[in-house]
Amino acid sequence: DWKMALREGRFYAQVAFSAAAEQGFEAGGHGVVKGGSAWMPDNRLDGVDFVLPFRFSDSTWQLGTRGPVTLRIASVKNQVEAQNLTADLQGWYPWSEQQPLILSNVNVDVLGGNISMQQLRMPQHDAALLRVNNISSSQLITAINPKQFTLSGRVNGALPLWLNDPDWIIRDGWLTNPGPMTLRLDKDMADALARDNMAAGAAINWLRYMEIARSWTRLNLTNLGVLTLRAELQGTSRLDGKSNTVRLNYQHQENLFTLWRSLRFGDNLQAWLEQHASLPDSGCAAGDNCEEPQ
């Protein structure tokens, strides 16, 4: 179903189990992947190290016994490349108050910065805090590729994450810039807006190129995917050799799930060609009737 091609790596596992009328089915063991590489139509994973110690008894999985389940991925390549991904998992599934499931040590280097989460506990009583550190807005804009504007500079923030809230996925998140940023509107779009609305034309002209000294963005995401941004920007606009202080209040709402589906995270045909073009030589000589195993 995933259309996954396993390219490299070593896998081994060991499981002991027993079954009896009085105790039912019980099992325990571990599985290990070392140096794995997997290609999917939209993603490529390299340097995968995965360790899964487990026990199963009374219809309950204990994930992580002497140590946690650990996942390390050196590189995840798609439209946005991520590196040095780590995650640890330990606890029970299905979880309960007495036997929780805890995800910890989540880190990933992406977009020139880092995203991390210290701990997510299920069942969840407190928000799991996703910390955004020094993310490059220009790399993000390049990945999304909007035509209306460009943005450069770094972003920090915190996004409180909920997985079982009836209304929210992210509630009361915030983003800000630790240093200078620049905003540049697309010339054709700005010209069209200025022509269509003369009253707004002057304001649009001052936003054609803006150096942002301070920004503060509030962010909420509902469990239906509706993203709401409210941003306050302060900076200096430069136009025709003149400068002017600008304070901009901006609000944006969009369905993030629809946006995500519209982005092209890889091209299926290109990924298929790359995989098959780089397959190792099977040793078939020219003219031999050789077929690739299915």
Side-chain angles (χ1 to χ4, degrees):
D1 290 341
W2 289 359
K3 300 180 181 179
M4 177 186 292
L6 301 179
R7 307 284 296 178
E8 298 179 29
R10 179 169 175 255
F11 168 77
Y12 58 92
Q14 181 176 348
V15 180
F17 65 91
S18 63
E22 295 81 10
Q23 70 180 28
F25 180 82
E26 296 184 354
H30 64 273
V32 177
V33 175
K34 290 288 187 182
S37 176
W39 287 20
M40 291 173 281
D42 298 335
N43 300 279
R44 174 176 174 177
L45 287 71
D46 292 314
V48 179
D49 291 335
F50 179 61
V51 180
L52 173 62
F54 71 91
R55 289 177 183 156
F56 179 80
S57 178
D58 194 24
S59 301
T60 301
W61 295 91
Q62 183 184 356
L63 303 175
T65 49
R66 295 182 180 178
V69 177
T70 61
L71 175 64
R72 306 290 185 265
I73 303 178
S75 175
V76 179
K77 295 180 180 178
N78 51 35
Q79 193 159 341
V80 175
E81 182 172 353
Q83 297 176 328
N84 304 321
L85 187 150
T86 70
D88 295 341
L89 184 69
Q90 193 161 23
W92 287 262
Y93 184 84
W95 56 74
S96 66
E97 290 291 349
Q98 294 73 30
Q99 296 180 325
L101 182 64
I102 298 175
L103 177 65
S104 61
N105 190 31
V106 175
N107 280 278
V108 62
D109 297 331
V110 64
L111 296 173
N114 176 268
I115 297 176
S116 64
M117 182 178 68
Q118 185 173 3
Q119 187 180 96
L120 168 63
R121 181 189 186 276
M122 300 298 293
Q124 189 176 16
H125 300 294
D126 301 301
L129 195 62
L130 277 175
R131 295 192 176 274
V132 177
N133 183 42
N134 213 35
I135 294 295
S136 169
S137 61
S138 61
Q139 291 189 31
L140 177 61
I141 292 299
T142 299
I144 299 176
N145 194 28
K147 305 298 184 181
Q148 297 87 352
F149 67 94
T150 61
L151 189 68
S152 64
R154 299 282 173 170
V155 175
N156 290 341
L159 307 175
L161 177 66
W162 294 92
L163 296 187
N164 60 354
D165 189 274
D167 300 311
W168 303 102
I169 297 176
I170 295 174
R171 185 176 184 183
D172 296 331
W174 59 268
L175 300 169
T176 190
N177 59 314
M181 301 182 71
T182 59
L183 169 69
R184 187 189 300 272
L185 296 184
D186 175 73
K187 182 180 183 302
D188 292 339
M189 184 197 73
D191 290 345
L193 289 174
R195 285 195 307 267
D196 295 341
N197 191 332
M198 295 185 62
I204 292 297
N205 286 334
W206 286 115
L207 294 177
R208 288 176 183 267
Y209 180 82
M210 179 178 175
E211 297 172 355
I212 301 171
R214 181 183 180 276
S215 69
W216 184 264
T217 301
R218 296 169 179 84
L219 184 151
N220 289 286
L221 177 63
T222 72
N223 56 12
L224 297 179
V226 178
L227 174 70
T228 303
L229 297 174
R230 291 182 175 89
E232 302 172 6
L233 308 178
Q234 296 181 14
T236 302
S237 174
R238 305 193 184 279
L239 178 68
D240 298 332
K242 300 178 181 179
S243 61
N244 191 34
T245 299
V246 175
R247 293 185 178 182
L248 175 65
N249 294 316
Y250 172 75
Q251 180 171 324
H252 181 78
Q253 189 173 84
E254 187 163 3
N255 191 291
L256 192 63
F257 297 162
T258 302
L259 174 64
W260 187 267
R261 287 191 294 268
S262 70
L263 297 177
R264 293 181 58 203
F265 282 91
D267 184 289
N268 291 357
L269 177 60
Q270 179 181 347
W272 186 91
L273 290 172
E274 287 178 350
Q275 291 185 39
H276 289 75
S278 60
L279 284 173
D281 186 4
S282 63
C284 292
D288 291 346
N289 184 19
C290 297
E291 294 185 0
E292 182 182 340
Q294 298 299 312

